[in-house]
Amino acid sequence: MVGPSPQVTIIVPVYNVADYLPETLESIAAQTAFDRCHVILVDDGSTDGSDTIAKQFAAEHPNVTVLQQENAGPGAARNRALDMAETPYVSFVDSDDILPPRATELLLKAIVQNKASMAIGDMDTFPKRTAFLWKKPFGKGDRLLESVVDAPDLVFDAGPCHKLYDLAQLRANGLRFREGVHFEDAFLALPMLLKAERIALVDEVVYQYRRRVSGTSIMDNLFIREQNYWDHLELCETLAALRPELDVFRREVLERFLVRSYQGFAMRAHTLFEDADLWKIFEKCTRIYQDIDPSFIARWTADTRHRLSYLAFKSYDFDLFARPWTKVQGIVACGGELYLDYPVTPALLPLTRVSAVSVRLEQARLSKAGDTLRLSGHVQVNGLPMHQPIRTPLGLRVRGSNLTVPATVERRGDLKSADPGREWSGFAAEVPVAQLRNGQHGLRLVFMTETGQASRQCLISAAFLRDAPVKLAGDTRILPGFVGRESATLLVQRSGGARAWRRTMLRKDLRHVASRRPFWKQRLLRLVTAPVMSRRDIWLVGERKDTAQDNSWHLFKYLRKAERRRNVYYVLAKDSPDRERLSGLGNVVAHDSFRHKFLMLHATKMINSYDIDSYMLPSRWERGQFLKHLNWRIGAARVFLQHGVTDKDVSGGLHRAKTGVDLFVAAAGKEAEYAAEYFDYGDGAQRLGFPRFDALVPERGNRRILLMPTWRSYLVSPSYNPSLPPRFPFETSRYAQFLRDLFGSEELRQTLQQHRYTLEFLPHYEMRKVSTSMVPADPCFAVVDQTQRSVQDALRQCDLFITDYSSTAFDVAYLGTPLIYAHFDAEEYFSIGGYRRGYFEHAEHGFGPVCQTAEETVRAIISYVRNGCAREDEYSRRVTDFFGVQDRDNCQRVAAAIAALPGPQR
């Protein structure tokens, strides 16, 4: 039974929170005012045992009531308890959060003493804190607000938790939670906040909100779920209907919420909905926002791109809302400010002012003749969709040389992959070297609009810094660099030769050392040792910090045997199990050792099968500072050997504007052409063949079938960022289901047993922890132990190969081994995984049959097993057409191409 005269009803909706509910209930029971509370737990149809936990808690505490209902959502659960409440005050707790011990006591004291409509306390999130806009009023002590007008930022807190309400006033205003929608709590919390006459503010944390890492909450998928757009719009309509009941000051607070809270939905709606639904949203929003002043909207929206949809509502321009890139294609200048080129009345002008322009330089390359310097990068004009070329002419101004050259707009597939509105945000300008004057020059992008010119400073990017070693054009030396934090510059020296340039560099080194700027010790050590080391052509080779298995290892092995006099070193972790592979070769350098750091200072070539900065830099060398203060001084050429044939559009990570790579090693002609054109490598992408192909000698006949699918970034926490949680659980994925169906096929098992084959599973490095346990304990199946057999050995020794999208299929095809493509999750692999199709389609160009299900894959395996694992003539022809040359001279060609790269200009 409930104790005498409880004052507070604590309402807790419960649904499938067995992992968290005990901690929540324990915090409620620990309240110093617990004996003055009536706790109502509403189980909303839990299936994980949460209801049992709730009943046990009620059995232990007479002031706790448990209600049960079929699943109807948290709004319905709270409303049911709200109807039962008989205390003067009511509060709400989510069933995975925590109340500090004095939370209820503090809120109750504040609301009673101040005779307030509601009391609000501070809230923290855990395990990581969140900086909420609505928290601004806190930190100034307890106080009484006459209304929300005294602390208007509170309107951006739409939740009912960390608050205590006067139940009579809730009922008098007819306020309840909206049922069957997301954001159900805001339908009660915001109207009450707007109507409250007295609000007691408690300047202590009274609620701890748990931020789960599963990525399944409403807020984690806020702009992805279509229903969220409709539910939040319903909330805005409900709140907008309150305007007649509010005075002018409260109405202004309400309109802050209406503008700010829906801006993200309005901006993104055209990416999710078809015209029929867009019209409904457009009409509703036009009614909600038609009477709100444009200047007010401009003040409470984040930037121009968020204002564009409100401009559409105010102008009643549906096409601007649904297809903004068709209505806004340029900009105009006025008094140094930029505005979207869209016809408006003076009142609407604030909605067209461009809030920000970002110009980043990414590449600086000399032409073959050395007469022009090509500077390229990308520009973002906030609010200007760049689905097509901007109509406004552009120019690049080189300050200090009194020079402005035309800049051309370029398509950037790598930027489009992240945002379709950036497809045409690239630009490039050809700067005549002969017109550059001595000295340091700032760089600005000029917008030559119909109403005048405006310019913006060009800033550096990581790629620009990777491309920053000095450029030598005849007697002219050009050093890309920066001043201040990130303003891009060119340092030009037209005369004086190498000696004068060395003096210039010496002065820069000494100033850097004297000011103790980042990497000053390394700059000093390099300066002192340069006379001894400058004549040595030092090649640093590596893969991941702890591996020597891929193209880098094969190239290094070749160089140490065929070109012993070359100064080539392999960087590998001291405790790596792969060190045995390098025994007897010499020149193996322990990663993070002093020798590693010293050789980095004088390297002329940095060669890797993976990302150079991620795996070759010493662990304590912060990447950004290294690029700013040391990379350009070292001036090493960058060589990307790849770890697999590039057949997809991975320009988002491999475009030269990201990598700064000087030599992109391709295995086939079509691959080189694709990288040259779509990844902007030009002549830097060369068909040389992979070094590891030299060792691809088949050892078939072992009756082994190798299953080697690639990884799914959305199903695991990657090794390079283990704190990043999976977006989706592996156990319920199509990937896991495919493995279960394949390994569980009795027909497959019997066929393997009958023909004495073993199906070996070799999962991707990133998938190993979650997938190897799915292999049954049966002699017909096995997991490849990579400490005993390398990936390449496993490929060479298999009679049949099965993969999904792994580039190792090209290695197997090169070997002459038959293969099967298992596309068991094609739709989610390309949509959720973010991969984009490239020039190579498995069905049209591939080297084996394409299967869509585990059942089809089993049939294909059985067919190959029964015909002795012989590859069909059609697939053999495709292999020959793709690779063109299949020999054992790949290492030799790669080594020659690297040697031909120009070294640092001293």
Side-chain angles (χ1 to χ4, degrees):
M1 294 182 60
V2 178
S5 301
Q7 294 179 277
V8 177
T9 298
I10 300 177
I11 296 173
V12 187
V14 176
Y15 180 70
N16 287 352
V17 283
D19 291 340
Y20 309 106
L21 185 58
E23 188 176 9
T24 299
L25 298 180
E26 182 180 337
S27 75
I28 292 175
Q31 291 297 294
T32 54
F34 184 62
D35 60 343
R36 288 175 279 170
C37 296
H38 177 203
V39 181
I40 304 178
L41 307 177
V42 185
D43 178 66
D44 192 33
S46 297
T47 58
D48 69 341
S50 295
D51 56 333
T52 302
I53 297 172
K55 291 175 182 176
Q56 179 63 35
F57 184 72
E60 297 170 357
H61 301 285
N63 57 339
V64 177
T65 301
V66 175
L67 305 176
Q68 287 188 283
Q69 63 182 34
E70 292 186 3
N71 181 247
R78 290 194 186 110
N79 282 337
R80 185 177 177 190
L82 196 60
D83 290 339
M84 287 183 58
E86 298 178 348
T87 58
Y89 307 104
V90 62
S91 68
F92 303 91
V93 177
D94 285 343
S95 51
D96 57 351
D97 298 334
I98 297 173
L99 293 181
R102 299 183 64 225
T104 306
E105 177 188 347
L106 292 171
L107 291 171
L108 181 59
K109 179 180 178 181
I111 198 171
V112 170
Q113 287 186 350
N114 291 285
K115 298 181 180 179
S117 301
M118 58 188 298
I120 306 177
D122 200 357
M123 179 182 82
D124 273 347
T125 60
F126 71 99
K128 291 184 178 180
R129 289 195 171 188
T130 305
F132 292 111
L133 176 62
W134 61 262
K135 288 170 71 75
K136 285 184 180 180
F138 292 92
K140 303 171 185 177
D142 294 354
R143 54 198 173 113
L144 177 66
L145 308 176
E146 291 302 322
S147 72
V148 69
V149 176
D150 293 340
D153 290 323
L154 288 174
V155 77
F156 299 117
D157 173 27
C161 302
H162 73 97
K163 297 168 183 172
L164 186 64
Y165 294 97
D166 184 315
L167 180 58
Q169 292 197 34
L170 283 179
R171 288 173 172 166
N173 286 296
L175 297 179
R176 296 172 64 78
F177 294 93
R178 188 64 55 92
E179 298 182 16
V181 299
H182 295 315
F183 322 111
E184 73 289 331
D185 40 12
F187 286 85
L188 177 145
L190 288 178
M192 188 62 217
L193 180 69
L194 290 164
K195 294 182 176 184
E197 292 300 332
R198 296 164 67 84
I199 301 171
L201 218 58
V202 177
D203 200 14
E204 287 191 41
V205 173
V206 299
Y207 199 87
Q208 292 178 315
Y209 175 83
R210 187 190 304 271
R211 293 192 68 89
R212 299 196 210 174
V213 298
S214 63
T216 58
S217 74
I218 294 170
M219 299 308 293
D220 289 330
N221 298 282
L222 186 62
F223 300 118
I224 298 175
R225 294 173 173 163
E226 292 185 7
Q227 190 57 43
N228 287 353
Y229 288 71
W230 299 112
D231 291 348
H232 205 291
L233 188 55
E234 183 179 341
L235 171 64
C236 288
E237 287 183 301
T238 301
L239 294 175
L242 296 177
R243 283 172 172 144
E245 304 175 34
L246 305 176
D247 60 43
V248 63
F249 303 108
R250 297 183 200 226
R251 192 157 57 243
E252 180 182 328
V253 174
L254 165 61
E255 289 177 347
R256 288 190 193 189
F257 178 83
L258 293 176
V259 171
R260 188 180 180 92
S261 70
Y262 205 69
Q263 60 179 333
F265 295 103
M267 181 184 71
R268 295 174 176 87
H270 71 267
T271 67
L272 289 182
F273 297 99
E274 299 296 332
D275 274 10
D277 285 331
L278 285 174
W279 262 111
K280 294 176 184 178
I281 295 173
F282 178 76
E283 292 285 1
K284 289 175 180 287
C285 286
T286 298
R287 288 192 292 271
I288 293 171
Y289 299 105
Q290 63 182 346
D291 294 328
I292 301 179
D293 184 82
S295 295
F296 185 88
I297 293 175
R299 179 183 176 189
W300 291 105
T301 42
D303 50 31
T304 314
R305 65 193 183 110
H306 286 89
R307 292 170 197 143
L308 207 55
S309 52
Y310 292 103
L311 178 62
F313 304 148
K314 301 290 288 185
S315 304
Y316 202 71
D317 188 338
F318 175 74
D319 284 335
L320 179 61
F321 174 61
R323 288 168 287 277
W325 56 90
T326 66
K327 303 302 294 276
V328 181
Q329 299 175 1
I331 51 179
V332 293
C334 181
E337 295 286 350
L338 291 171
Y339 295 83
L340 299 180
D341 189 4
Y342 178 82
V344 294
T345 62
L348 294 177
L349 198 60
L351 298 180
T352 68
R353 189 178 73 83
V354 174
S355 56
V357 177
S358 172
V359 184
R360 296 279 178 180
L361 288 177
E362 295 166 318
Q363 300 186 68
R365 288 194 275 186
L366 277 175
S367 63
K368 288 183 179 180
D371 56 346
T372 59
L373 178 69
R374 186 178 190 272
L375 294 171
S376 60
H378 69 269
V379 57
Q380 282 184 274
V381 179
N382 195 290
L384 178 65
M386 291 188 170
H387 295 73
Q388 52 199 12
I390 181 175
R391 290 181 178 175
T392 307
L394 303 177
L396 184 70
R397 180 172 298 156
V398 184
R399 303 185 71 179
S401 285
N402 193 27
L403 176 64
T404 300
V405 296
T408 57
V409 176
E410 295 189 331
R411 182 182 180 277
R412 289 287 296 275
D414 60 312
L415 299 178
K416 180 187 177 183
S417 65
D419 179 358
R422 298 177 64 189
E423 180 176 1
W424 286 91
S425 62
F427 71 89
E430 305 281 346
V431 180
V433 172
Q435 296 184 38
L436 291 174
R437 299 174 181 174
N438 271 328
Q440 185 164 274
H441 308 286
L443 301 166
R444 297 181 71 87
L445 188 68
V446 184
F447 299 90
M448 302 175 181
T449 78
E450 295 179 357
T451 56
Q453 293 187 2
S455 67
R456 294 296 183 267
Q457 178 69 47
C458 294
L459 305 179
I460 59 172
S461 65
F464 184 73
L465 295 172
R466 293 186 182 103
D467 215 19
V470 62
K471 320 295 178 186
L472 182 60
D475 291 333
T476 301
R477 285 172 169 79
I478 306 169
L479 178 65
F482 69 99
V483 295
R485 293 189 62 184
E486 29 182 36
S487 295
T489 63
L490 296 177
L491 178 61
V492 179
Q493 180 179 290
R494 297 196 58 85
S495 59
R499 182 174 296 180
W501 183 253
R502 284 195 293 270
R503 288 197 299 268
T504 300
M505 294 297 99
L506 174 62
R507 287 193 294 271
K508 289 179 74 70
D509 283 337
L510 292 177
R511 284 197 296 267
H512 192 90
V513 171
S515 61
R516 299 296 194 267
R517 300 184 72 188
F519 285 93
W520 70 270
K521 293 180 181 179
Q522 289 81 1
R523 290 275 288 271
L524 178 60
L525 179 59
R526 185 186 181 280
L527 180 64
V528 171
T529 56
V532 178
M533 302 294 295
S534 61
R535 296 183 183 275
R536 300 184 65 184
D537 185 19
I538 296 173
W539 296 15
L540 290 186
V541 184
E543 294 170 9
R544 293 189 179 98
K545 297 176 183 179
D546 59 348
T547 62
Q549 301 180 4
D550 214 317
N551 287 315
S552 297
W553 170 56
H554 286 278
L555 177 63
F556 178 74
K557 185 168 61 172
Y558 164 82
L559 291 170
R560 291 300 294 156
K561 291 181 178 180
E563 301 183 23
R564 291 284 297 180
R565 300 184 63 183
R566 189 172 295 285
N567 296 309
V568 57
Y569 302 86
Y570 197 98
V571 181
L572 186 66
K574 190 175 182 180
D575 58 353
S576 169
D578 287 347
R579 289 187 75 88
E580 291 185 12
R581 298 177 185 274
L582 303 173
S583 62
L585 295 176
N587 284 11
V588 179
V589 178
H591 197 284
D592 283 337
S593 65
F594 175 79
R595 193 181 186 201
H596 172 205
K597 297 171 184 176
F598 181 76
L599 290 173
M600 282 288 298
L601 300 178
H602 299 284
T604 58
K605 312 289 193 302
M606 289 194 290
I607 307 160
N608 205 292
S609 302
Y610 300 87
D611 181 69
I612 290 174
D613 293 331
S614 295
Y615 296 112
M616 295 202 76
L617 296 191
S619 300
R620 294 190 178 183
W621 286 19
E622 198 278 320
R623 184 187 308 187
Q625 297 298 338
F626 166 77
L627 292 174
K628 279 187 173 183
H629 302 293
L630 193 57
N631 177 69
W632 66 269
R633 195 68 184 97
I634 296 169
R638 291 169 172 251
V639 179
F640 181 45
L641 297 179
Q642 298 201 81
H643 54 279
V645 173
T646 297
D647 60 336
K648 305 175 191 67
D649 182 359
V650 289
S651 58
L654 288 186
H655 196 282
R656 193 179 186 278
K658 301 285 196 304
T659 67
V661 162
D662 300 289
L663 177 61
F664 184 104
V665 175
K670 291 180 181 178
E671 180 191 20
E673 293 170 6
Y674 187 70
E677 181 177 356
Y678 290 96
F679 298 177
D680 198 26
Y681 284 96
D683 294 341
Q686 299 183 28
R687 186 273 168 214
L688 303 169
F690 285 171
R692 70 169 183 249
F693 283 3
D694 286 350
L696 279 181
V697 180
E699 293 183 9
R700 291 189 291 272
N702 301 289
R703 295 187 177 274
R704 288 172 171 165
I705 301 172
L706 183 62
L707 172 62
M708 192 174 170
T710 191
W711 75 308
R712 306 293 189 271
S713 60
Y714 49 90
L715 297 180
V716 295
S717 296
S719 60
Y720 54 82
N721 188 6
S723 63
L724 185 67
R727 291 167 58 192
F728 301 95
F730 172 79
E731 295 76 12
T732 57
S733 67
R734 292 186 180 179
Y735 191 113
Q737 188 60 50
F738 172 79
L739 293 181
R740 279 192 290 267
D741 292 344
L742 187 73
F743 290 126
S745 170
E746 181 60 23
E747 184 181 10
L748 175 61
R749 192 192 68 79
Q750 289 181 5
T751 300
L752 295 174
Q753 187 178 50
Q754 178 185 351
H755 293 270
R756 291 176 290 119
Y757 274 85
T758 301
L759 176 59
E760 297 185 320
F761 181 46
L762 203 168
H764 188 280
Y765 181 86
E766 301 287 357
M767 302 291 290
R768 198 169 185 86
K769 290 182 179 179
V770 297
S771 61
T772 53
S773 61
M774 305 186 74
V775 179
D778 187 294
C780 295
F781 305 102
V783 176
V784 175
D785 183 352
Q786 287 184 257
T787 63
Q788 302 299 317
R789 286 167 65 208
S790 69
V791 172
Q792 190 163 28
D793 285 342
L795 295 175
R796 292 190 305 107
Q797 294 164 1
C798 72
D799 296 285
L800 175 64
F801 182 73
I802 309 162
T803 189
D804 45 7
Y805 306 98
S806 173
S807 61
T808 50
F810 291 95
D811 295 56
V812 170
Y814 195 93
L815 278 163
T817 303
L819 63 90
I820 298 168
Y821 298 103
H823 290 183
F824 50 82
D825 62 348
E827 183 177 349
E828 69 180 40
Y829 178 80
F830 285 102
S831 59
I832 300 175
Y835 297 100
R836 297 191 300 163
R837 301 181 188 277
Y839 64 94
F840 192 92
E841 289 291 341
H842 290 172
E844 182 180 355
H845 310 110
F847 314 125
V850 178
C851 302
Q852 306 295 334
T853 64
E855 184 179 0
E856 289 181 16
T857 306
V858 167
R859 287 200 299 266
I861 294 172
I862 292 174
S863 176
Y864 272 114
V865 167
R866 287 175 177 171
N867 78 358
C869 291
R871 186 169 70 185
E872 294 87 338
D873 291 342
E874 169 62 19
Y875 298 133
S876 295
R877 183 191 62 77
R878 291 184 185 182
V879 171
T880 302
D881 290 345
F882 181 78
F883 286 105
V885 178
Q886 289 176 266
D887 58 22
R888 298 289 181 264
D889 297 326
N890 299 287
C891 284
Q892 182 180 345
R893 284 191 294 269
V894 172
I898 295 173
L901 291 173
Q905 303 296 326
R906 307 294 186 185

